[in-house]
Each structure stands twice: as structure tokens, then as C-alpha cells.
Coordinates of all heavy atoms in Angstrom, one line a residue:
M256 N 94.1 104.3 102.0 CA 93.4 105.4 102.7 C 91.9 105.1 102.7 O 91.4 104.6 101.8 CB 93.7 106.7 102.0 CG 95.1 107.1 102.0 SD 95.4 108.6 101.0 CE 94.3 109.7 101.7
T257 N 91.3 105.5 103.8 CA 89.8 105.3 103.9 C 89.2 106.6 103.6 O 89.5 107.6 104.2 CB 89.5 104.8 105.3 OG1 90.1 103.6 105.6 CG2 88.0 104.7 105.5
V258 N 88.3 106.6 102.7 CA 87.6 107.9 102.3 C 86.2 107.9 103.1 O 85.3 107.1 102.7 CB 87.3 108.0 100.8 CG1 86.5 109.2 100.4 CG2 88.7 108.0 100.1
V259 N 86.2 108.6 104.1 CA 85.0 108.7 104.9 C 84.0 109.7 104.3 O 84.4 110.9 104.1 CB 85.3 109.1 106.4 CG1 84.1 109.2 107.2 CG2 86.3 108.1 107.0
L260 N 82.8 109.3 104.1 CA 81.8 110.2 103.4 C 81.2 111.1 104.5 O 81.0 110.8 105.6 CB 80.7 109.4 102.8 CG 81.3 108.4 101.7 CD1 80.2 107.5 101.1 CD2 81.9 109.2 100.5
Q261 N 80.9 112.4 104.0 CA 80.2 113.4 104.8 C 78.8 113.4 104.5 O 78.3 112.9 103.5 CB 80.9 114.7 104.5 CG 82.4 114.8 104.6 CD 82.9 114.5 105.9 OE1 82.6 115.1 106.9 NE2 83.8 113.4 106.0
A262 N 78.0 114.1 105.3 CA 76.5 114.1 105.2 C 76.1 114.7 103.8 O 75.1 114.2 103.3 CB 75.9 115.0 106.3
G263 N 76.9 115.6 103.3 CA 76.5 116.2 102.0 C 76.9 115.5 100.8 O 76.5 115.8 99.7
D264 N 77.7 114.4 101.0 CA 78.1 113.7 99.8 C 77.0 112.9 99.2 O 76.2 112.3 99.9 CB 79.3 112.7 100.2 CG 80.6 113.4 100.6 OD1 80.8 114.5 100.0 OD2 81.3 112.9 101.4
R265 N 77.0 112.9 97.9 CA 75.9 112.1 97.2 C 76.6 111.1 96.2 O 76.9 111.4 95.1 CB 75.0 113.1 96.3 CG 74.3 114.1 97.2 CD 73.1 113.4 97.9 NE 72.4 114.3 98.8 CZ 72.6 114.4 100.1 NH1 73.6 113.7 100.7 NH2 72.0 115.3 100.8
I266 N 76.9 110.0 96.8 CA 77.6 108.9 96.1 C 76.7 107.7 95.9 O 76.0 107.3 96.8 CB 78.9 108.5 96.9 CG1 79.7 109.7 97.2 CG2 79.7 107.5 96.0 CD1 80.3 110.5 96.1
A267 N 76.7 107.1 94.7 CA 75.8 106.0 94.4 C 76.1 104.9 95.5 O 77.3 104.6 95.8 CB 76.1 105.5 93.0
G268 N 75.1 104.3 95.9 CA 75.2 103.3 97.0 C 76.1 102.1 96.7 O 76.8 101.6 97.6
H269 N 76.1 101.7 95.4 CA 77.0 100.5 95.1 C 78.5 100.8 95.2 O 79.3 99.9 95.1 CB 76.6 100.0 93.7 CG 77.0 100.9 92.6 ND1 76.3 102.0 92.2 CD2 78.1 100.8 91.7 CE1 76.9 102.6 91.2 NE2 78.0 101.9 90.9
L270 N 78.8 102.1 95.3 CA 80.2 102.5 95.5 C 80.6 102.7 96.9 O 81.8 103.0 97.2 CB 80.5 103.8 94.7 CG 80.2 103.8 93.2 CD1 80.4 105.1 92.6 CD2 81.2 102.7 92.5
T271 N 79.7 102.5 97.8 CA 80.0 102.8 99.3 C 79.7 101.6 100.1 O 79.1 100.6 99.7 CB 79.2 104.0 99.8 OG1 77.8 103.6 100.0 CG2 79.2 105.2 98.8
E272 N 80.2 101.6 101.3 CA 79.9 100.6 102.3 C 80.0 101.2 103.7 O 80.5 102.3 103.9 CB 80.9 99.4 102.2 CG 82.4 99.8 102.4 CD 83.4 98.7 102.0 OE1 82.9 97.8 101.3 OE2 84.6 98.9 102.3
H273 N 79.6 100.4 104.7 CA 79.7 100.9 106.1 C 80.7 100.0 106.8 O 80.7 98.7 106.6 CB 78.3 100.8 106.8 CG 77.4 101.8 106.3 ND1 76.6 101.7 105.2 CD2 77.1 103.1 106.8 CE1 75.9 102.8 105.0 NE2 76.2 103.7 106.0
T274 N 81.6 100.6 107.5 CA 82.6 99.8 108.3 C 81.9 99.2 109.5 O 80.8 99.6 109.9 CB 83.7 100.7 108.7 OG1 83.3 101.7 109.7 CG2 84.3 101.5 107.5
D275 N 82.7 98.3 110.2 CA 82.2 97.7 111.4 C 82.0 98.8 112.5 O 81.2 98.7 113.4 CB 83.2 96.7 111.9 CG 83.2 95.4 111.0 OD1 82.2 95.3 110.2 OD2 84.2 94.7 111.1
A276 N 82.8 99.9 112.3 CA 82.7 101.0 113.3 C 81.5 102.0 113.0 O 81.3 102.9 113.7 CB 84.0 101.8 113.3
G277 N 80.8 101.7 111.9 CA 79.7 102.5 111.5 C 79.9 103.7 110.6 O 79.0 104.5 110.4
L278 N 81.1 103.7 110.1 CA 81.5 104.8 109.2 C 81.0 104.5 107.8 O 81.0 103.4 107.3 CB 83.0 105.1 109.1 CG 83.7 105.5 110.4 CD1 85.2 105.6 110.2 CD2 83.1 106.9 110.8
H279 N 80.4 105.5 107.1 CA 80.0 105.4 105.7 C 81.2 105.8 104.9 O 81.7 107.0 104.9 CB 78.8 106.3 105.4 CG 78.1 106.0 104.1 ND1 77.3 106.9 103.6 CD2 78.2 105.0 103.3 CE1 76.8 106.4 102.4 NE2 77.3 105.2 102.2
V280 N 81.7 104.9 104.1 CA 83.0 105.1 103.4 C 82.9 104.7 101.9 O 81.9 104.0 101.5 CB 84.1 104.3 104.0 CG1 84.3 104.7 105.5 CG2 83.9 102.8 103.9
M281 N 83.8 105.2 101.1 CA 83.9 104.6 99.7 C 84.4 103.2 99.8 O 85.3 102.8 100.6 CB 85.0 105.4 98.9 CG 84.6 106.9 98.6 SD 83.1 107.0 97.5 CE 83.6 106.2 96.0
A282 N 83.7 102.3 99.0 CA 84.1 100.9 99.0 C 85.5 100.7 98.4 O 85.9 101.6 97.6 CB 83.0 100.1 98.3
R283 N 86.1 99.7 98.7 CA 87.4 99.3 98.1 C 87.3 98.1 97.3 O 86.5 97.2 97.6 CB 88.5 99.2 99.2 CG 88.7 100.4 100.0 CD 89.8 100.1 101.0 NE 89.9 101.1 102.0 CZ 91.0 101.4 102.6 NH1 92.1 100.7 102.4 NH2 91.1 102.3 103.6
D284 N 88.2 97.9 96.3 CA 88.3 96.7 95.6 C 89.2 95.7 96.3 O 89.7 96.0 97.4 CB 88.7 96.9 94.1 CG 90.2 97.4 94.0 OD1 90.9 97.3 95.0 OD2 90.5 97.9 92.9
E285 N 89.4 94.6 95.7 CA 90.2 93.5 96.3 C 91.6 93.9 96.6 O 92.3 93.2 97.4 CB 90.1 92.2 95.5 CG 90.8 92.3 94.1 CD 89.8 92.7 93.0 OE1 88.8 93.4 93.3 OE2 90.0 92.2 91.9
F286 N 92.1 95.0 95.9 CA 93.5 95.4 96.1 C 93.6 96.6 97.1 O 94.6 97.1 97.4 CB 94.1 95.8 94.8 CG 94.1 94.7 93.8 CD1 93.3 94.8 92.7 CD2 94.9 93.6 93.9 CE1 93.2 93.8 91.7 CE2 94.9 92.6 93.0 CZ 94.1 92.7 91.9
G287 N 92.4 97.0 97.5 CA 92.4 98.1 98.5 C 92.2 99.5 97.9 O 92.1 100.5 98.6
W288 N 92.0 99.5 96.6 CA 91.8 100.8 95.9 C 90.3 101.2 96.0 O 89.5 100.4 96.0 CB 92.2 100.8 94.4 CG 93.7 100.5 94.2 CD1 94.3 99.4 94.0 CD2 94.7 101.5 94.3 NE1 95.7 99.5 93.9 CE2 96.0 100.8 94.1 CE3 94.7 102.9 94.6 CZ2 97.2 101.5 94.1 CZ3 96.0 103.5 94.6 CH2 97.2 102.9 94.3
C289 N 90.1 102.5 96.0 CA 88.7 103.0 96.0 C 88.1 102.5 94.7 O 88.7 102.5 93.6 CB 88.8 104.5 95.9 SG 87.1 105.3 95.6
V290 N 86.8 102.0 94.8 CA 86.1 101.4 93.7 C 85.8 102.4 92.6 O 85.4 102.1 91.5 CB 84.8 100.7 94.1 CG1 85.2 99.5 95.0 CG2 83.9 101.6 94.8
A291 N 86.0 103.7 92.9 CA 85.7 104.8 91.9 C 86.9 105.0 91.0 O 86.8 105.8 90.1 CB 85.2 106.0 92.6
V292 N 88.0 104.4 91.3 CA 89.2 104.6 90.5 C 88.9 104.0 89.1 O 88.5 102.8 89.0 CB 90.5 104.0 91.1 CG1 91.6 104.0 90.1 CG2 90.9 104.7 92.4
D293 N 89.1 104.8 88.1 CA 88.9 104.3 86.7 C 90.1 103.3 86.4 O 91.2 103.8 86.3 CB 88.9 105.5 85.7 CG 88.8 105.0 84.3 OD1 88.8 103.8 84.0 OD2 88.7 106.0 83.4
P294 N 89.8 102.1 86.2 CA 90.9 101.1 85.9 C 91.6 101.4 84.6 O 92.8 101.0 84.5 CB 90.2 99.7 85.9 CG 88.8 100.0 85.6 CD 88.5 101.4 86.2
A295 N 91.0 102.0 83.7 CA 91.7 102.3 82.4 C 92.7 103.4 82.5 O 93.8 103.3 82.0 CB 90.6 102.6 81.4
G296 N 92.3 104.5 83.2 CA 93.2 105.7 83.2 C 93.7 106.0 84.6 O 94.6 106.8 84.7
G297 N 93.2 105.4 85.6 CA 93.7 105.6 87.0 C 93.1 106.9 87.6 O 93.4 107.2 88.8
G298 N 92.2 107.6 86.9 CA 91.6 108.8 87.5 C 90.3 108.4 88.2 O 90.0 107.3 88.4
C299 N 89.7 109.5 88.7 CA 88.4 109.3 89.4 C 87.3 109.2 88.5 O 87.0 110.2 87.7 CB 88.2 110.4 90.4 SG 86.7 110.3 91.4
S300 N 86.5 108.1 88.5 CA 85.4 108.0 87.6 C 84.2 108.8 88.0 O 83.2 108.9 87.2 CB 85.0 106.5 87.4 OG 84.6 106.0 88.7
I301 N 84.2 109.3 89.2 CA 83.1 110.2 89.6 C 83.6 111.6 90.0 O 83.1 112.2 91.0 CB 82.3 109.5 90.8 CG1 83.3 109.3 92.0 CG2 81.6 108.2 90.4 CD1 82.6 108.9 93.3
Y302 N 84.6 112.0 89.3 CA 85.3 113.3 89.6 C 84.4 114.4 89.9 O 84.5 115.1 90.9 CB 86.3 113.6 88.5 CG 87.2 114.8 88.9 CD1 88.3 114.6 89.7 CD2 86.9 116.1 88.5 CE1 89.1 115.6 90.1 CE2 87.7 117.2 88.8 CZ 88.8 116.9 89.6 OH 89.6 118.0 90.0
E303 N 83.4 114.6 89.1 CA 82.5 115.8 89.3 C 81.6 115.7 90.5 O 81.2 116.7 91.1 CB 81.6 116.0 88.0 CG 82.3 116.3 86.8 CD 83.1 117.6 86.9 OE1 82.6 118.6 87.6 OE2 84.2 117.7 86.4
S304 N 81.4 114.5 91.0 CA 80.6 114.3 92.2 C 81.4 113.6 93.3 O 80.8 113.0 94.3 CB 79.3 113.5 91.9 OG 79.7 112.3 91.4
R305 N 82.7 113.7 93.3 CA 83.6 113.0 94.3 C 83.3 113.6 95.7 O 82.8 114.7 95.8 CB 85.0 113.2 93.9 CG 85.6 114.6 94.0 CD 86.9 114.7 93.3 NE 87.5 116.0 93.4 CZ 87.2 117.1 92.7 NH1 86.1 117.0 91.9 NH2 87.8 118.2 92.9
P306 N 83.6 112.8 96.7 CA 83.3 113.2 98.1 C 84.1 114.4 98.5 O 85.1 114.8 97.9 CB 83.8 112.0 98.9 CG 83.8 110.8 97.9 CD 84.1 111.4 96.6
E307 N 83.5 115.1 99.5 CA 84.1 116.3 100.0 C 85.5 116.1 100.4 O 86.4 117.0 100.1 CB 83.3 116.9 101.2 CG 83.8 118.1 101.8 CD 83.8 119.3 100.8 OE1 83.0 119.3 99.9 OE2 84.7 120.2 101.0
V308 N 85.8 115.0 101.1 CA 87.2 114.8 101.6 C 88.2 114.7 100.4 O 89.3 115.2 100.5 CB 87.3 113.6 102.5 CG1 87.1 112.3 101.7 CG2 88.6 113.6 103.3
C309 N 87.7 114.2 99.3 CA 88.6 114.1 98.1 C 88.8 115.5 97.5 O 89.8 115.8 97.0 CB 87.9 113.2 97.1 SG 87.7 111.5 97.7
R310 N 87.8 116.3 97.6 CA 87.9 117.7 97.0 C 88.9 118.5 97.9 O 89.6 119.4 97.3 CB 86.5 118.4 97.1 CG 85.5 117.8 96.1 CD 84.1 118.4 96.3 NE 83.2 117.7 95.5 CZ 83.0 118.0 94.2 NH1 83.7 119.0 93.6 NH2 82.1 117.3 93.5
R311 N 89.0 118.2 99.1 CA 89.9 119.0 100.0 C 91.3 118.4 100.0 O 92.3 119.1 100.5 CB 89.4 119.0 101.4 CG 88.2 119.9 101.6 CD 87.8 120.1 103.1 NE 86.9 119.0 103.5 CZ 87.2 118.2 104.5 NH1 88.3 118.2 105.2 NH2 86.3 117.2 104.8
F312 N 91.5 117.2 99.5 CA 92.8 116.6 99.4 C 93.7 117.3 98.5 O 93.4 117.4 97.3 CB 92.7 115.1 99.0 CG 94.0 114.3 99.2 CD1 94.3 113.7 100.4 CD2 94.9 114.2 98.2 CE1 95.5 113.0 100.6 CE2 96.1 113.5 98.3 CZ 96.3 112.9 99.5
E313 N 94.9 117.8 98.9 CA 95.8 118.5 98.1 C 96.8 117.6 97.4 O 97.7 117.1 98.1 CB 96.6 119.5 99.0 CG 97.5 120.4 98.2 CD 98.4 121.3 99.0 OE1 98.1 121.4 100.3 OE2 99.3 122.0 98.5
M314 N 96.6 117.4 96.1 CA 97.5 116.5 95.4 C 98.9 117.1 95.4 O 99.2 118.2 95.1 CB 97.0 116.5 93.9 CG 97.9 115.6 93.0 SD 97.6 113.8 93.5 CE 98.5 113.0 92.2
G315 N 99.8 116.3 95.9 CA 101.2 116.7 96.0 C 101.5 117.5 97.3 O 102.6 117.9 97.5
G316 N 100.5 117.7 98.1 CA 100.6 118.4 99.4 C 101.3 117.5 100.4 O 101.6 116.3 100.2
P317 N 101.5 118.1 101.6 CA 102.2 117.3 102.7 C 101.6 116.0 103.0 O 102.4 115.0 103.2 CB 102.2 118.3 103.9 CG 101.9 119.6 103.3 CD 101.1 119.4 102.0
Y318 N 100.3 115.9 103.1 CA 99.7 114.6 103.5 C 99.8 113.6 102.3 O 100.1 112.5 102.5 CB 98.2 114.8 103.9 CG 97.5 113.6 104.3 CD1 98.1 112.9 105.4 CD2 96.4 113.1 103.7 CE1 97.5 111.7 105.9 CE2 95.8 111.9 104.2 CZ 96.3 111.3 105.2 OH 95.7 110.1 105.7
C319 N 99.6 114.1 101.1 CA 99.8 113.3 99.9 C 101.2 112.7 99.9 O 101.4 111.5 99.7 CB 99.5 114.1 98.7 SG 99.8 113.3 97.1
Q320 N 102.2 113.5 100.1 CA 103.6 113.1 100.1 C 103.9 112.1 101.2 O 104.6 111.1 101.0 CB 104.5 114.3 100.3 CG 104.5 115.2 99.1 CD 105.1 114.6 97.8 OE1 105.9 113.7 97.8 NE2 104.7 115.1 96.7
A321 N 103.3 112.3 102.4 CA 103.5 111.4 103.5 C 102.9 110.0 103.2 O 103.5 109.0 103.5 CB 102.9 112.0 104.8
V322 N 101.7 110.0 102.6 CA 101.1 108.7 102.2 C 101.9 108.0 101.2 O 102.1 106.8 101.3 CB 99.6 109.0 101.7 CG1 99.1 107.7 101.1 CG2 98.7 109.5 102.8
R323 N 102.4 108.7 100.2 CA 103.2 108.1 99.1 C 104.5 107.6 99.7 O 105.0 106.5 99.3 CB 103.5 109.2 98.0 CG 102.3 109.5 97.2 CD 102.7 110.5 96.2 NE 101.5 110.8 95.3 CZ 101.2 110.1 94.2 NH1 102.0 109.1 93.9 NH2 100.2 110.4 93.5
E324 N 105.1 108.3 100.6 CA 106.4 107.8 101.3 C 106.1 106.6 102.0 O 106.9 105.6 102.0 CB 106.9 109.0 102.1 CG 108.3 108.6 102.7 CD 108.9 109.8 103.5 OE1 108.7 110.9 103.1 OE2 109.5 109.5 104.5
D325 N 105.0 106.6 102.8 CA 104.7 105.4 103.6 C 104.5 104.2 102.7 O 105.0 103.1 102.9 CB 103.5 105.6 104.4 CG 103.0 104.4 105.2 OD1 103.9 104.0 106.0 OD2 101.9 103.9 105.0
Y326 N 103.7 104.4 101.6 CA 103.5 103.3 100.6 C 104.8 102.9 100.0 O 105.0 101.6 99.9 CB 102.5 103.8 99.5 CG 102.1 102.8 98.6 CD1 101.0 102.0 98.8 CD2 102.8 102.5 97.4 CE1 100.6 101.0 97.9 CE2 102.4 101.5 96.5 CZ 101.3 100.7 96.8 OH 100.9 99.8 95.9
A327 N 105.6 103.8 99.6 CA 106.9 103.4 99.0 C 107.8 102.6 99.9 O 108.5 101.7 99.5 CB 107.6 104.7 98.5
N328 N 107.7 102.9 101.2 CA 108.5 102.2 102.2 C 108.0 100.8 102.4 O 108.8 99.9 102.7 CB 108.5 102.9 103.5 CG 109.3 104.2 103.5 OD1 110.2 104.4 102.7 ND2 109.0 105.1 104.4
R329 N 106.7 100.6 102.1 CA 106.2 99.2 102.2 C 106.2 98.4 100.9 O 106.0 97.3 100.9 CB 104.7 99.3 102.8 CG 104.7 99.7 104.3 CD 103.4 99.8 104.8 NE 102.6 101.0 104.3 CZ 101.4 100.9 103.8 NH1 100.8 99.8 103.6 NH2 100.8 102.0 103.4
N330 N 106.4 99.1 99.8 CA 106.3 98.5 98.5 C 107.5 98.9 97.7 O 107.8 100.1 97.6 CB 105.1 98.8 97.8 CG 103.8 98.4 98.6 OD1 103.4 97.2 98.5 ND2 103.3 99.3 99.4
A331 N 108.2 98.0 97.1 CA 109.4 98.3 96.4 C 109.2 99.3 95.2 O 110.0 100.2 95.0 CB 110.1 97.1 95.9
R332 N 108.1 99.2 94.5 CA 107.9 99.9 93.3 C 107.3 101.3 93.6 O 107.5 102.2 92.8 CB 107.0 99.2 92.3 CG 105.6 99.0 92.8 CD 104.8 98.2 91.8 NE 103.5 97.8 92.3 CZ 102.4 98.5 92.3 NH1 102.5 99.7 91.8 NH2 101.3 98.0 92.8
G333 N 106.6 101.6 94.7 CA 106.1 102.9 95.0 C 105.0 103.3 94.1 O 104.5 102.5 93.3
I334 N 104.7 104.6 94.1 CA 103.6 105.1 93.3 C 104.2 106.3 92.5 O 104.7 107.3 93.1 CB 102.4 105.7 94.1 CG1 101.9 104.7 95.1 CG2 101.3 106.2 93.2 CD1 100.9 105.2 96.0
P335 N 104.2 106.2 91.2 CA 104.7 107.4 90.4 C 103.9 108.6 90.6 O 102.6 108.5 90.5 CB 104.7 106.9 89.0 CG 103.7 105.8 89.0 CD 103.7 105.2 90.3
L336 N 104.5 109.7 90.9 CA 103.7 111.0 91.2 C 103.6 111.7 89.9 O 104.5 112.0 89.2 CB 104.5 111.9 92.2 CG 103.9 113.2 92.4 CD1 102.5 113.1 93.0 CD2 104.7 114.0 93.4
Q337 N 102.3 112.0 89.5 CA 102.0 112.8 88.3 C 101.3 114.0 88.7 O 100.3 113.9 89.4 CB 101.2 112.0 87.3 CG 101.9 110.8 86.7 CD 101.1 110.0 85.7 OE1 99.9 109.8 85.9 NE2 101.7 109.7 84.6
M338 N 101.8 115.2 88.3 CA 101.1 116.4 88.6 C 100.4 116.9 87.3 O 101.0 116.9 86.3 CB 102.1 117.5 89.1 CG 102.9 117.0 90.3 SD 101.9 116.7 91.8 CE 101.5 118.4 92.2
F339 N 99.2 117.3 87.4 CA 98.4 117.7 86.2 C 98.2 119.2 86.3 O 98.1 119.8 87.3 CB 97.1 117.0 86.1 CG 97.2 115.5 86.0 CD1 97.2 114.7 87.1 CD2 97.5 114.9 84.8 CE1 97.3 113.3 87.0 CE2 97.7 113.6 84.7 CZ 97.6 112.7 85.8
Ligands
SF4_1819 S1 89.0 111.0 94.2 FE1 87.5 109.5 93.4 S2 88.8 107.7 93.0 FE2 89.9 109.0 94.4 S3 89.3 108.3 96.5 FE3 88.0 110.0 95.9 S4 86.2 109.0 95.0 FE4 87.8 107.5 95.1

């Protein structure tokens, strides 16, 4: 997923990048994960200041489930769903 930043988002520059299409987005690592994912625990390392689109994303909601289903269809192991 591409996390497109909004005008009000205040994210450190080293965590973001601009796409060829000119969008300001969260940067990704070599595996495609958002660079703000905490590699130790898998959570968001900038949770308190996370982008607006991340704040609106409903964990376990219809879009979340659709993304997980799509990922699972493309990858044998899928993503374990954890609700907190
Ligand atoms: S919640 Fe945090 S780790 Fe997840 S996509 Fe948003 S900024 Fe990245």
C-alpha cells in the first residue's frame, strides 16, 4: 500500500519520498514495507505522529480485509491478523 501524505502531516523527511508522479509518500524499505514499521515489534514507530491516512485506516475493516485477502492470494503464508 502507498501511504500518501496530506498537507497537515508532519513526518520527518528521512521517512518520506516523492514518487515520479509527484506524490509525497511514506518511504518503503527493500521489501515494500513502510519505513516507519518497527522491525522489532511490527508496530508503527511514529504512532503518535502517524499520517492522517493511517489514522483513518480501520484495522480489520473492509478495506483492511480486502488488502489482506489480496496479499494472501499472492503469497502462500499471508498476514496473521491481530486485533488489539
Ligand atoms: S501506521 Fe505507521 S508504519 Fe503503518 S503505514 Fe502508517 S506510518 Fe507506516
Side-chain angles (χ1 to χ4, degrees):
M256 297 172 59
T257 300
V258 176
V259 179
L260 300 174
Q261 309 297 303
D264 290 329
R265 298 288 177 261
I266 309 298
H269 70 282
L270 298 175
T271 74
E272 61 190 12
H273 287 86
T274 68
D275 291 342
L278 294 174
H279 192 198
V280 301
M281 289 300 296
R283 298 182 191 209
D284 65 16
E285 65 268 30
F286 303 108
W288 295 99
C289 172
V290 295
V292 172
D293 178 356
C299 178
S300 63
I301 58 168
Y302 187 79
E303 294 301 323
S304 59
R305 66 195 184 284
E307 177 63 25
V308 69
C309 300
R310 294 175 185 274
R311 286 189 274 120
F312 189 87
E313 182 185 355
M314 182 71 173
Y318 185 57
C319 176
Q320 293 293 337
V322 170
R323 287 176 177 278
E324 186 175 323
D325 178 60
Y326 185 90
N328 288 338
R329 288 182 286 128
N330 300 278
R332 63 183 170 84
I334 306 172
L336 176 61
Q337 292 182 319
M338 303 298 285
F339 299 97

